[in-house]
């Protein structure tokens, strides 16, 4: 089995321009300016008669500056780096250009699908007009939200799958796309057909796309395309 488990970059430039990050940055800049002003007494009149009032005013300005800096940091970390700013799974009506359809009951009852698993089925047009009568290919998506070590989680998921069926040629890493994290795939021979399973993983979401009528590279590319509709900022 291939053991390439290198992580993609978790950095998403769009996170730099969310409202909390921008507001937090402004508050930090204003707070830092107030701290500088408070520490530099020449910005206030310092006649002996008013020295006590000046010192008190500077102290309040300094405290206000510290408070603004702290609030700014909390806003930025809350949106960009902490679990409270984590992404979430959205079962979009259209993902990567594919329309969502009803999920068959069997897909909801397979082992490992729990009450917290988000499940959706999408129509892929690959075999439309080829299979009678007008039967399209279906791809199945499973998602989870939480707090994850992506590398460890994906290894565990593939270990579970390979315990039930061997891979065709190991686990492969792919470019995870603009949302970063990990994207790994493997193909499995199951009941006379080859199923391609691809997973994305980052610090707050796990996504799994499976298809029996698409190649592994096709499923990997499709998951990257669908992910922008399935994973959203909170």
């Amino acid at each position: 089995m291939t053991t390439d488990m290198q992580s993609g970059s978790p950095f998403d430039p769009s996170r730099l321009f969310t409202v909390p990050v921008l507001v937090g940055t402004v508050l930090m800049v204003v707070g830092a300016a107030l701290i500088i002003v408070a520490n530099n007494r020449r910005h206030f009149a310092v006649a002996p008669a008013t020295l006590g009032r000046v010192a008190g005013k500077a102290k309040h300005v300094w405290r206000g500056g510290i408070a603004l800096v702290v609030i700014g940091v909390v806003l930025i970390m809350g949106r960009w780096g902490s679990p409270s700013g984590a992404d979430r799974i959205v079962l979009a009506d259209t993902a990567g250009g594919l329309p969502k359809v009803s999920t068959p009951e069997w897909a909801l009852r397979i082992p490992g699908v729990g009450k917290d698993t988000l499940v959706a089925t999408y129509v892929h047009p690959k075999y439309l007009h080829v299979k009678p009568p007008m039967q399209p290919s279906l791809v199945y998506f499973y998602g989870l939200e939480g707090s994850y070590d992506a590398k460890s989680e994906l290894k565990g998921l593939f270990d579970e799958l390979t315990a039930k069926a061997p891979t065709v040629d190991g686990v492969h890493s792919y470019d995870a796309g603009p949302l970063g994290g990990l994207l790994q795939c493997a193909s499995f021979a199951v009941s006379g057909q080859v199923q391609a399973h691809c997973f994305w993983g980052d610090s707050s979401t796990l996504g799994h796309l499976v298809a029996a009528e698409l190649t592994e590279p096709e499923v990997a590319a499709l998951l990257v395309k669908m992910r922008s509709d399935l994973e959203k900022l909170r």
Side-chain angles (χ1 to χ4, degrees):
M1 176 182 294
T2 302
T3 56
D4 181 7
M5 296 288 181
Q6 293 182 352
S7 172
S9 170
F11 175 69
D12 177 6
S14 66
R15 294 173 188 259
L16 286 172
F17 303 104
T18 60
V19 172
V21 170
L22 292 175
V23 172
T25 301
V26 170
L27 290 178
M28 288 180 63
V29 171
V30 173
L34 290 177
I35 293 171
I36 293 172
V37 169
N39 287 336
N40 191 343
R41 299 294 177 82
R42 71 173 181 269
H43 290 271
F44 300 97
V46 289
T50 61
L51 187 58
R53 292 197 303 274
V54 170
K57 184 182 291 187
K59 187 174 183 179
H60 288 306
V61 172
W62 185 85
R63 287 177 175 173
I66 290 293
L68 288 177
V69 170
V70 170
I71 293 171
V73 170
V74 170
L75 282 172
I76 292 173
M77 294 306 294
R79 167 49 64 202
W80 197 4
S82 72
S84 63
D87 292 353
R88 63 190 178 96
I89 300 291
V90 176
L91 298 180
D93 290 337
T94 302
L98 305 187
K100 185 171 67 173
V101 296
S102 298
T103 298
E105 284 297 320
W106 67 262
L108 300 172
R109 296 196 301 266
I110 63 174
V113 175
K115 61 182 180 63
D116 296 325
T117 306
L118 300 167
V119 184
T121 302
Y122 293 89
V123 175
H124 192 282
K126 181 172 183 178
Y127 288 118
L128 190 61
H129 306 301
V130 176
K131 287 184 172 183
M134 302 284 289
Q135 182 181 348
S137 299
L138 298 178
V139 296
Y140 303 93
F141 173 77
Y142 301 87
L144 284 172
E145 300 173 342
S147 180
Y148 304 109
D149 176 337
K151 182 177 179 179
S152 175
E153 293 289 345
L154 265 59
K155 183 179 184 305
L157 289 167
F158 281 114
D159 285 347
E160 289 183 18
L161 287 173
T162 54
K164 300 172 184 176
T167 67
V168 174
D169 59 354
V171 178
H172 309 104
S173 292
Y174 293 83
D175 184 354
L179 293 179
L182 286 173
L183 177 60
Q184 295 179 340
C185 304
S187 297
F188 299 85
V190 179
S191 301
Q193 63 179 1
V194 175
Q195 295 181 357
H197 292 252
C198 288
F199 293 85
W200 91 60
D202 57 28
S203 61
S204 60
T205 62
L206 296 172
H208 175 199
L209 191 66
V210 56
E213 297 165 341
L214 300 173
T215 67
E216 182 183 307
E218 287 176 329
V219 176
L222 179 60
L223 184 54
V224 171
K225 186 177 179 181
M226 295 176 69
R227 187 179 173 189
S228 61
D229 296 312
L230 296 169
E231 182 179 6
K232 297 293 185 180
L233 289 172
R234 289 189 184 277

